[in-house]
Structure formats: structure tokens, C-alpha cells
Amino acid sequence: MKIKGILQETAITLPELKEELLNVEAARLEKSKEMPYELRRSIEHANQISKTSAEQSAELVQALIQLDKVKPDVAYRIASIMPRTRDEVRAVFGRDKFSHTPEELDAIIDLVISHFR
């Protein structure tokens, strides 16, 4: 399959991707189309890794964006990964130019735990 161009780009979390993949799977099954290997593996991966619902992950992204020092792209990564320790949160921020206080990291962890299934 060749991609000729990107029509639209939207950031989504892993649970939202899982829902989209399940919709694609249902549509393909309804039309009795074969499921390509890549699609089957993608659905399997999303099912195994996704830790919350799409609605809860979207709410988490909105709550994280409200915090200082949390950019939207990092908020989507946090909502997809659902880190539960300070070290995991620091790893998500990667090479940010500023460091986070333990209180800021704990606030992020509290939000993640409150949106966990």
C-alpha cells in the first residue's frame, strides 16, 4: 500500500487507537474482507497494552494539559503509557529543558491513577 499524502494529522492516545482499530476490524468483517497480518497484530498489541478506556484517556489528556510544564504531545504520551512511578514519568518527558519537582511528578501520577480503569 502506497501512501500518497497525509490528509489530516490528529494526536490520539493508545486507547483511542484501539477503538479505531476495532471499528476497522468490524467494518472489514462485515464486508467479509480478509484481515491483513499487520492489522491483526496492531489490534492485538493495542488490546494488550491499552490500560484504560478512550474516554478516560481523553479526560486525562485534558487534565494534564492544564498542568504547568506539560505540553500536549507529552500529555498524549502520558495518557498512552500511563506511568505509575516518578522515574517512568521522567522518562516520558525525555529531554525537556527543565526539570520537574517531585510535587509536579506526584501530581501527574495522581492524575494517571485517578484515570486508571
PDB file of all heavy atoms in Angstrom, residues 40-66:
ATOM      1  N   ARG A  40      -4.057  -7.305  12.176  1.00  0.00           N
ATOM      2  CA  ARG A  40      -4.299  -8.243  13.283  1.00  0.00           C
ATOM      3  C   ARG A  40      -3.300  -8.019  14.407  1.00  0.00           C
ATOM      4  O   ARG A  40      -3.668  -7.992  15.588  1.00  0.00           O
ATOM      5  CB  ARG A  40      -4.224  -9.690  12.794  1.00  0.00           C
ATOM      6  CG  ARG A  40      -5.392 -10.122  11.944  1.00  0.00           C
ATOM      7  CD  ARG A  40      -5.441 -11.626  11.728  1.00  0.00           C
ATOM      8  NE  ARG A  40      -4.159 -12.243  11.461  1.00  0.00           N
ATOM      9  CZ  ARG A  40      -3.685 -12.539  10.248  1.00  0.00           C
ATOM     10  NH1 ARG A  40      -4.398 -12.258   9.186  1.00  0.00           N
ATOM     11  NH2 ARG A  40      -2.503 -13.126  10.114  1.00  0.00           N
ATOM     12  N   ARG A  41      -2.033  -7.850  14.070  1.00  0.00           N
ATOM     13  CA  ARG A  41      -1.003  -7.619  15.087  1.00  0.00           C
ATOM     14  C   ARG A  41      -1.200  -6.270  15.783  1.00  0.00           C
ATOM     15  O   ARG A  41      -0.975  -6.154  16.987  1.00  0.00           O
ATOM     16  CB  ARG A  41       0.392  -7.682  14.454  1.00  0.00           C
ATOM     17  CG  ARG A  41       0.790  -9.072  13.974  1.00  0.00           C
ATOM     18  CD  ARG A  41       1.019 -10.039  15.097  1.00  0.00           C
ATOM     19  NE  ARG A  41       2.164  -9.568  15.871  1.00  0.00           N
ATOM     20  CZ  ARG A  41       2.440  -9.923  17.104  1.00  0.00           C
ATOM     21  NH1 ARG A  41       1.675 -10.783  17.726  1.00  0.00           N
ATOM     22  NH2 ARG A  41       3.479  -9.443  17.723  1.00  0.00           N
ATOM     23  N   SER A  42      -1.596  -5.258  15.026  1.00  0.00           N
ATOM     24  CA  SER A  42      -1.839  -3.940  15.618  1.00  0.00           C
ATOM     25  C   SER A  42      -2.982  -3.992  16.624  1.00  0.00           C
ATOM     26  O   SER A  42      -2.895  -3.417  17.710  1.00  0.00           O
ATOM     27  CB  SER A  42      -2.160  -2.917  14.529  1.00  0.00           C
ATOM     28  OG  SER A  42      -1.076  -2.770  13.665  1.00  0.00           O
ATOM     29  N   ILE A  43      -4.049  -4.688  16.263  1.00  0.00           N
ATOM     30  CA  ILE A  43      -5.195  -4.818  17.165  1.00  0.00           C
ATOM     31  C   ILE A  43      -4.787  -5.593  18.418  1.00  0.00           C
ATOM     32  O   ILE A  43      -5.126  -5.203  19.545  1.00  0.00           O
ATOM     33  CB  ILE A  43      -6.377  -5.494  16.447  1.00  0.00           C
ATOM     34  CG1 ILE A  43      -6.912  -4.559  15.361  1.00  0.00           C
ATOM     35  CG2 ILE A  43      -7.476  -5.864  17.428  1.00  0.00           C
ATOM     36  CD1 ILE A  43      -7.900  -5.200  14.419  1.00  0.00           C
ATOM     37  N   GLU A  44      -4.056  -6.667  18.237  1.00  0.00           N
ATOM     38  CA  GLU A  44      -3.596  -7.473  19.364  1.00  0.00           C
ATOM     39  C   GLU A  44      -2.711  -6.641  20.295  1.00  0.00           C
ATOM     40  O   GLU A  44      -2.867  -6.675  21.518  1.00  0.00           O
ATOM     41  CB  GLU A  44      -2.824  -8.680  18.842  1.00  0.00           C
ATOM     42  CG  GLU A  44      -2.318  -9.612  19.913  1.00  0.00           C
ATOM     43  CD  GLU A  44      -1.528 -10.777  19.320  1.00  0.00           C
ATOM     44  OE1 GLU A  44      -1.907 -11.274  18.253  1.00  0.00           O
ATOM     45  OE2 GLU A  44      -0.521 -11.151  19.941  1.00  0.00           O
ATOM     46  N   HIS A  45      -1.796  -5.876  19.718  1.00  0.00           N
ATOM     47  CA  HIS A  45      -0.899  -5.036  20.517  1.00  0.00           C
ATOM     48  C   HIS A  45      -1.695  -3.979  21.288  1.00  0.00           C
ATOM     49  O   HIS A  45      -1.474  -3.778  22.488  1.00  0.00           O
ATOM     50  CB  HIS A  45       0.125  -4.369  19.605  1.00  0.00           C
ATOM     51  CG  HIS A  45       1.044  -3.437  20.311  1.00  0.00           C
ATOM     52  ND1 HIS A  45       2.065  -3.860  21.134  1.00  0.00           N
ATOM     53  CD2 HIS A  45       1.088  -2.079  20.338  1.00  0.00           C
ATOM     54  CE1 HIS A  45       2.701  -2.816  21.630  1.00  0.00           C
ATOM     55  NE2 HIS A  45       2.126  -1.725  21.166  1.00  0.00           N
ATOM     56  N   ALA A  46      -2.612  -3.308  20.619  1.00  0.00           N
ATOM     57  CA  ALA A  46      -3.417  -2.276  21.280  1.00  0.00           C
ATOM     58  C   ALA A  46      -4.247  -2.870  22.410  1.00  0.00           C
ATOM     59  O   ALA A  46      -4.396  -2.255  23.467  1.00  0.00           O
ATOM     60  CB  ALA A  46      -4.307  -1.574  20.265  1.00  0.00           C
ATOM     61  N   ASN A  47      -4.786  -4.071  22.211  1.00  0.00           N
ATOM     62  CA  ASN A  47      -5.572  -4.718  23.262  1.00  0.00           C
ATOM     63  C   ASN A  47      -4.718  -5.064  24.472  1.00  0.00           C
ATOM     64  O   ASN A  47      -5.168  -4.945  25.608  1.00  0.00           O
ATOM     65  CB  ASN A  47      -6.238  -5.991  22.730  1.00  0.00           C
ATOM     66  CG  ASN A  47      -7.433  -5.687  21.866  1.00  0.00           C
ATOM     67  OD1 ASN A  47      -8.092  -4.666  22.026  1.00  0.00           O
ATOM     68  ND2 ASN A  47      -7.714  -6.576  20.934  1.00  0.00           N
ATOM     69  N   GLN A  48      -3.498  -5.509  24.249  1.00  0.00           N
ATOM     70  CA  GLN A  48      -2.622  -5.907  25.350  1.00  0.00           C
ATOM     71  C   GLN A  48      -2.064  -4.719  26.116  1.00  0.00           C
ATOM     72  O   GLN A  48      -1.916  -4.767  27.327  1.00  0.00           O
ATOM     73  CB  GLN A  48      -1.467  -6.754  24.830  1.00  0.00           C
ATOM     74  CG  GLN A  48      -1.874  -8.122  24.373  1.00  0.00           C
ATOM     75  CD  GLN A  48      -0.708  -8.898  23.786  1.00  0.00           C
ATOM     76  OE1 GLN A  48       0.380  -8.369  23.580  1.00  0.00           O
ATOM     77  NE2 GLN A  48      -0.942 -10.167  23.498  1.00  0.00           N
ATOM     78  N   ILE A  49      -1.753  -3.648  25.411  1.00  0.00           N
ATOM     79  CA  ILE A  49      -1.044  -2.522  26.025  1.00  0.00           C
ATOM     80  C   ILE A  49      -1.990  -1.472  26.605  1.00  0.00           C
ATOM     81  O   ILE A  49      -1.662  -0.803  27.585  1.00  0.00           O
ATOM     82  CB  ILE A  49      -0.092  -1.871  24.999  1.00  0.00           C
ATOM     83  CG1 ILE A  49       0.879  -2.896  24.442  1.00  0.00           C
ATOM     84  CG2 ILE A  49       0.657  -0.699  25.597  1.00  0.00           C
ATOM     85  CD1 ILE A  49       1.785  -3.532  25.473  1.00  0.00           C
ATOM     86  N   SER A  50      -3.157  -1.310  26.029  1.00  0.00           N
ATOM     87  CA  SER A  50      -4.098  -0.285  26.471  1.00  0.00           C
ATOM     88  C   SER A  50      -4.539  -0.549  27.908  1.00  0.00           C
ATOM     89  O   SER A  50      -4.965  -1.646  28.244  1.00  0.00           O
ATOM     90  CB  SER A  50      -5.303  -0.267  25.530  1.00  0.00           C
ATOM     91  OG  SER A  50      -6.172   0.761  25.891  1.00  0.00           O
ATOM     92  N   LYS A  51      -4.438   0.480  28.746  1.00  0.00           N
ATOM     93  CA  LYS A  51      -4.693   0.306  30.176  1.00  0.00           C
ATOM     94  C   LYS A  51      -5.956   1.011  30.664  1.00  0.00           C
ATOM     95  O   LYS A  51      -6.297   0.928  31.839  1.00  0.00           O
ATOM     96  CB  LYS A  51      -3.496   0.807  30.972  1.00  0.00           C
ATOM     97  CG  LYS A  51      -2.228   0.042  30.685  1.00  0.00           C
ATOM     98  CD  LYS A  51      -1.071   0.599  31.441  1.00  0.00           C
ATOM     99  CE  LYS A  51       0.195  -0.170  31.081  1.00  0.00           C
ATOM    100  NZ  LYS A  51       1.369   0.399  31.705  1.00  0.00           N
ATOM    101  N   THR A  52      -6.640   1.721  29.780  1.00  0.00           N
ATOM    102  CA  THR A  52      -7.831   2.460  30.187  1.00  0.00           C
ATOM    103  C   THR A  52      -8.750   2.612  28.986  1.00  0.00           C
ATOM    104  O   THR A  52      -8.420   2.184  27.887  1.00  0.00           O
ATOM    105  CB  THR A  52      -7.433   3.826  30.790  1.00  0.00           C
ATOM    106  OG1 THR A  52      -8.578   4.445  31.354  1.00  0.00           O
ATOM    107  CG2 THR A  52      -6.813   4.741  29.775  1.00  0.00           C
ATOM    108  N   SER A  53      -9.870   3.254  29.187  1.00  0.00           N
ATOM    109  CA  SER A  53     -10.809   3.456  28.077  1.00  0.00           C
ATOM    110  C   SER A  53     -10.438   4.719  27.301  1.00  0.00           C
ATOM    111  O   SER A  53      -9.693   5.576  27.786  1.00  0.00           O
ATOM    112  CB  SER A  53     -12.234   3.583  28.608  1.00  0.00           C
ATOM    113  OG  SER A  53     -12.383   4.805  29.307  1.00  0.00           O
ATOM    114  N   ALA A  54     -10.986   4.842  26.121  1.00  0.00           N
ATOM    115  CA  ALA A  54     -10.704   6.014  25.291  1.00  0.00           C
ATOM    116  C   ALA A  54     -11.215   7.296  25.944  1.00  0.00           C
ATOM    117  O   ALA A  54     -10.561   8.343  25.885  1.00  0.00           O
ATOM    118  CB  ALA A  54     -11.334   5.834  23.905  1.00  0.00           C
ATOM    119  N   GLU A  55     -12.375   7.209  26.578  1.00  0.00           N
ATOM    120  CA  GLU A  55     -12.947   8.396  27.234  1.00  0.00           C
ATOM    121  C   GLU A  55     -12.075   8.848  28.395  1.00  0.00           C
ATOM    122  O   GLU A  55     -11.810  10.035  28.552  1.00  0.00           O
ATOM    123  CB  GLU A  55     -14.372   8.100  27.737  1.00  0.00           C
ATOM    124  CG  GLU A  55     -15.365   7.796  26.650  1.00  0.00           C
ATOM    125  CD  GLU A  55     -15.311   6.355  26.168  1.00  0.00           C
ATOM    126  OE1 GLU A  55     -14.829   5.468  26.912  1.00  0.00           O
ATOM    127  OE2 GLU A  55     -15.722   6.117  25.028  1.00  0.00           O
ATOM    128  N   GLN A  56     -11.629   7.895  29.202  1.00  0.00           N
ATOM    129  CA  GLN A  56     -10.784   8.244  30.345  1.00  0.00           C
ATOM    130  C   GLN A  56      -9.435   8.794  29.890  1.00  0.00           C
ATOM    131  O   GLN A  56      -8.897   9.712  30.506  1.00  0.00           O
ATOM    132  CB  GLN A  56     -10.586   7.038  31.254  1.00  0.00           C
ATOM    133  CG  GLN A  56     -11.819   6.674  32.041  1.00  0.00           C
ATOM    134  CD  GLN A  56     -11.613   5.444  32.884  1.00  0.00           C
ATOM    135  OE1 GLN A  56     -10.911   4.522  32.477  1.00  0.00           O
ATOM    136  NE2 GLN A  56     -12.219   5.421  34.059  1.00  0.00           N
ATOM    137  N   SER A  57      -8.894   8.251  28.808  1.00  0.00           N
ATOM    138  CA  SER A  57      -7.606   8.754  28.329  1.00  0.00           C
ATOM    139  C   SER A  57      -7.750  10.174  27.775  1.00  0.00           C
ATOM    140  O   SER A  57      -6.871  11.009  27.969  1.00  0.00           O
ATOM    141  CB  SER A  57      -6.998   7.823  27.283  1.00  0.00           C
ATOM    142  OG  SER A  57      -7.749   7.823  26.100  1.00  0.00           O
ATOM    143  N   ALA A  58      -8.867  10.457  27.114  1.00  0.00           N
ATOM    144  CA  ALA A  58      -9.098  11.814  26.606  1.00  0.00           C
ATOM    145  C   ALA A  58      -9.252  12.802  27.764  1.00  0.00           C
ATOM    146  O   ALA A  58      -8.731  13.922  27.716  1.00  0.00           O
ATOM    147  CB  ALA A  58     -10.335  11.837  25.711  1.00  0.00           C
ATOM    148  N   GLU A  59      -9.956  12.379  28.814  1.00  0.00           N
ATOM    149  CA  GLU A  59     -10.094  13.223  30.003  1.00  0.00           C
ATOM    150  C   GLU A  59      -8.735  13.461  30.656  1.00  0.00           C
ATOM    151  O   GLU A  59      -8.436  14.577  31.105  1.00  0.00           O
ATOM    152  CB  GLU A  59     -11.039  12.577  31.013  1.00  0.00           C
ATOM    153  CG  GLU A  59     -12.483  12.539  30.593  1.00  0.00           C
ATOM    154  CD  GLU A  59     -13.344  11.740  31.551  1.00  0.00           C
ATOM    155  OE1 GLU A  59     -12.864  11.392  32.660  1.00  0.00           O
ATOM    156  OE2 GLU A  59     -14.496  11.448  31.198  1.00  0.00           O
ATOM    157  N   LEU A  60      -7.917  12.424  30.713  1.00  0.00           N
ATOM    158  CA  LEU A  60      -6.583  12.546  31.294  1.00  0.00           C
ATOM    159  C   LEU A  60      -5.730  13.529  30.506  1.00  0.00           C
ATOM    160  O   LEU A  60      -5.029  14.360  31.091  1.00  0.00           O
ATOM    161  CB  LEU A  60      -5.900  11.179  31.371  1.00  0.00           C
ATOM    162  CG  LEU A  60      -4.457  11.155  31.899  1.00  0.00           C
ATOM    163  CD1 LEU A  60      -4.371  11.757  33.298  1.00  0.00           C
ATOM    164  CD2 LEU A  60      -3.917   9.739  31.887  1.00  0.00           C
ATOM    165  N   VAL A  61      -5.792  13.463  29.193  1.00  0.00           N
ATOM    166  CA  VAL A  61      -5.029  14.405  28.357  1.00  0.00           C
ATOM    167  C   VAL A  61      -5.439  15.831  28.687  1.00  0.00           C
ATOM    168  O   VAL A  61      -4.589  16.708  28.880  1.00  0.00           O
ATOM    169  CB  VAL A  61      -5.227  14.101  26.855  1.00  0.00           C
ATOM    170  CG1 VAL A  61      -4.701  15.244  26.007  1.00  0.00           C
ATOM    171  CG2 VAL A  61      -4.555  12.800  26.480  1.00  0.00           C
ATOM    172  N   GLN A  62      -6.743  16.085  28.766  1.00  0.00           N
ATOM    173  CA  GLN A  62      -7.219  17.436  29.070  1.00  0.00           C
ATOM    174  C   GLN A  62      -6.759  17.894  30.455  1.00  0.00           C
ATOM    175  O   GLN A  62      -6.371  19.047  30.638  1.00  0.00           O
ATOM    176  CB  GLN A  62      -8.747  17.505  28.963  1.00  0.00           C
ATOM    177  CG  GLN A  62      -9.254  17.305  27.552  1.00  0.00           C
ATOM    178  CD  GLN A  62      -8.601  18.235  26.550  1.00  0.00           C
ATOM    179  OE1 GLN A  62      -8.471  19.438  26.776  1.00  0.00           O
ATOM    180  NE2 GLN A  62      -8.149  17.675  25.440  1.00  0.00           N
ATOM    181  N   ALA A  63      -6.779  16.995  31.424  1.00  0.00           N
ATOM    182  CA  ALA A  63      -6.323  17.343  32.776  1.00  0.00           C
ATOM    183  C   ALA A  63      -4.822  17.612  32.797  1.00  0.00           C
ATOM    184  O   ALA A  63      -4.359  18.541  33.469  1.00  0.00           O
ATOM    185  CB  ALA A  63      -6.674  16.219  33.747  1.00  0.00           C
ATOM    186  N   LEU A  64      -4.061  16.830  32.052  1.00  0.00           N
ATOM    187  CA  LEU A  64      -2.605  17.011  32.020  1.00  0.00           C
ATOM    188  C   LEU A  64      -2.220  18.319  31.335  1.00  0.00           C
ATOM    189  O   LEU A  64      -1.265  18.984  31.749  1.00  0.00           O
ATOM    190  CB  LEU A  64      -1.936  15.835  31.312  1.00  0.00           C
ATOM    191  CG  LEU A  64      -1.928  14.514  32.072  1.00  0.00           C
ATOM    192  CD1 LEU A  64      -1.521  13.368  31.163  1.00  0.00           C
ATOM    193  CD2 LEU A  64      -1.012  14.598  33.279  1.00  0.00           C
ATOM    194  N   ILE A  65      -2.937  18.689  30.303  1.00  0.00           N
ATOM    195  CA  ILE A  65      -2.627  19.930  29.585  1.00  0.00           C
ATOM    196  C   ILE A  65      -2.824  21.138  30.495  1.00  0.00           C
ATOM    197  O   ILE A  65      -2.142  22.156  30.342  1.00  0.00           O
ATOM    198  CB  ILE A  65      -3.480  20.033  28.298  1.00  0.00           C
ATOM    199  CG1 ILE A  65      -3.000  18.977  27.293  1.00  0.00           C
ATOM    200  CG2 ILE A  65      -3.399  21.426  27.692  1.00  0.00           C
ATOM    201  CD1 ILE A  65      -3.847  18.876  26.046  1.00  0.00           C
ATOM    202  N   GLN A  66      -3.723  21.018  31.472  1.00  0.00           N
ATOM    203  CA  GLN A  66      -3.975  22.116  32.398  1.00  0.00           C
ATOM    204  C   GLN A  66      -2.794  22.356  33.346  1.00  0.00           C
ATOM    205  O   GLN A  66      -2.652  23.442  33.896  1.00  0.00           O
ATOM    206  CB  GLN A  66      -5.243  21.848  33.220  1.00  0.00           C
ATOM    207  CG  GLN A  66      -6.494  21.683  32.400  1.00  0.00           C
ATOM    208  CD  GLN A  66      -6.800  22.885  31.536  1.00  0.00           C
ATOM    209  OE1 GLN A  66      -6.684  24.021  31.982  1.00  0.00           O
ATOM    210  NE2 GLN A  66      -7.175  22.631  30.292  1.00  0.00           N
TER     211      GLN A  66
END
